[in-house]
């Protein structure tokens, strides 16, 4: 009887934990997602390496944003969403029934397509997440640290009490990145963070991404093939909700295995 109980407990533990190989931060196993009766993601399998940038590319409507939002369970806010499969973060299945969504979203931060600063001061934008999460940190220290990490400190250090909405679009996006860093995440998700920005602001964000991967794991969704080639270490190509090809960025862009991938990155369809 005791042996049987131990076997059941072992099985339960294995459902909640699955050790990942060294250097891997997240793993997606046979992941499916539906919006009501419509399947948006089909049997996706991919590995996300620690302290690397992974780009997800593909035509509009292929499931890129849906997939990235699944990495911190933001899709849970949509009543009709249903999922199957696993997404492992440091070995823990974030879709396990016992998973804490608040803790998952603290560990896996999100930066959206359009800058969305809160309508209060620059400093309070940074500190807000710390307050909400009950973090015992010094406000001045966390504000300065995060703004420096987001490469915007020199531009706003004398304007911290100003409304964040007074910043330019590129500055607002870097502020939103700084805000995401304040709660000390381990993974940063970026859903087309440069699509609303001019080339100069885009270049600053791309330089920032290269710096951030020293301390964080970054996953970026982008329609810009040149951007994916510049900033990412690994690239995933999606089409109609399926992961068509995944590998090192150099291989994907220079020697894709799938004809569909080659056609997309050379602009012949999509």
């Amino acid at each position: 009887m005791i042996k049987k109980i131990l076997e059941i407990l072992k099985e339960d533990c294995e459902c909640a934990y699955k050790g990942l190989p060294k250097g891997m931060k997240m793993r997606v196993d046979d992941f499916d997602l539906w919006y009501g009766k419509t399947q948006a993601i089909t049997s996706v399998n991919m590995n996300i390496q620690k302290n690397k940038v992974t780009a997800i590319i593909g035509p509009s409507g292929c499931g890129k944003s849906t997939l990235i939002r699944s990495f911190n369970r933001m899709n849970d806010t949509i009543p009709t969403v249903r999922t199957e499969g696993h997404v492992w973060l440091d070995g823990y299945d974030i879709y396990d029934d016992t998973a804490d969504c608040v803790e998952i979203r603290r560990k896996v931060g999100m930066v959206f397509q359009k800058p969305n600063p809160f309508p209060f001061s620059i400093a309070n934008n940074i500190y807000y997440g710390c307050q909400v999460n009950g973090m015992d940190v010094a406000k001045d220290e966390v504000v300065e640290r995060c703004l420096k990490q987001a490469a915007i400190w020199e531009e706003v250090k004398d304007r911290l009490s100003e409304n964040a909405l007074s910043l330019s679009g590129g500055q607002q996006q870097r502020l939103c990145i700084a805000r995401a860093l304040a709660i000390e995440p381990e993974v940063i998700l970026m859903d087309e963070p440069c699509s609303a920005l001019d080339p100069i602001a885009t270049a600053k964000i791309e330089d920032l991404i290269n710096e951030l991967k020293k301390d964080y794991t970054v996953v970026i969704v982008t329609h810009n093939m040149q951007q994916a080639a510049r900033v990412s270490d690994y690239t995933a190509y999606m089409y109609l909700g399926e992961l068509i090809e995944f590998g090192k960025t150099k291989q994907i862009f220079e020697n894709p295995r799938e004809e569909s991938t080659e056609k997309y990155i050379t602009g012949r369809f999509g």
Side-chain angles (χ1 to χ4, degrees), residues 175-219:
L175 175 66
C176 291
I177 293 172
R179 187 177 66 194
L181 299 179
I183 58 172
E184 301 176 356
E186 298 171 15
V187 180
I188 303 173
L189 309 176
M190 296 184 173
D191 192 356
E192 297 194 58
C194 304
S195 64
L197 305 181
D198 60 54
I200 294 175
T202 295
K204 289 182 178 180
I205 297 292
E206 290 182 3
D207 289 341
L208 174 57
I209 290 171
N210 282 321
E211 287 297 313
L212 289 174
K213 74 177 183 180
K214 296 176 182 177
D215 300 305
Y216 307 93
T217 300
V218 180
V219 183

Side-chain angles (χ1 to χ4, degrees), residues 1-51:
M1 183 66 178
I2 293 176
K3 183 179 179 180
K4 182 64 176 178
I5 293 173
L6 290 175
E7 288 176 354
I8 294 172
L9 289 173
K10 182 180 178 181
E11 288 176 2
D12 289 342
C13 289
E14 287 175 348
C15 288
Y17 179 79
K18 189 174 185 179
L20 297 184
K22 184 178 180 181
M24 191 184 301
K25 187 66 180 177
M26 300 184 76
R27 183 163 74 192
V28 185
D29 284 341
D30 295 326
F31 189 75
D32 301 274
L33 182 143
W34 291 263
Y35 292 114
K37 295 181 180 180
T38 302
Q39 187 163 7
I41 300 291
T42 304
S43 299
V44 167
N45 291 275
M46 64 186 294
N47 300 329
I48 297 173
Q49 301 298 319
K50 185 176 181 180
N51 297 115

Side-chain angles (χ1 to χ4, degrees), residues 59-112:
S60 297
C62 72
K64 303 185 301 295
S65 294
T66 294
L67 180 62
I68 200 174
R69 288 168 62 92
S70 300
F71 292 168
N72 67 352
R73 292 188 58 169
M74 286 197 68
N75 288 319
D76 287 16
T77 61
I78 303 172
T80 59
V81 162
R82 177 171 63 87
T83 64
E84 290 182 3
H86 307 278
V87 176
W88 305 94
L89 173 65
D90 286 332
Y92 290 90
D93 184 4
I94 69 170
Y95 281 89
D96 184 77
D97 291 339
T98 62
D100 182 346
C101 287
V102 173
E103 180 64 13
I104 290 167
R105 291 169 191 152
R106 191 196 68 76
K107 288 185 176 182
V108 186
M110 187 89 177
V111 177
F112 297 94

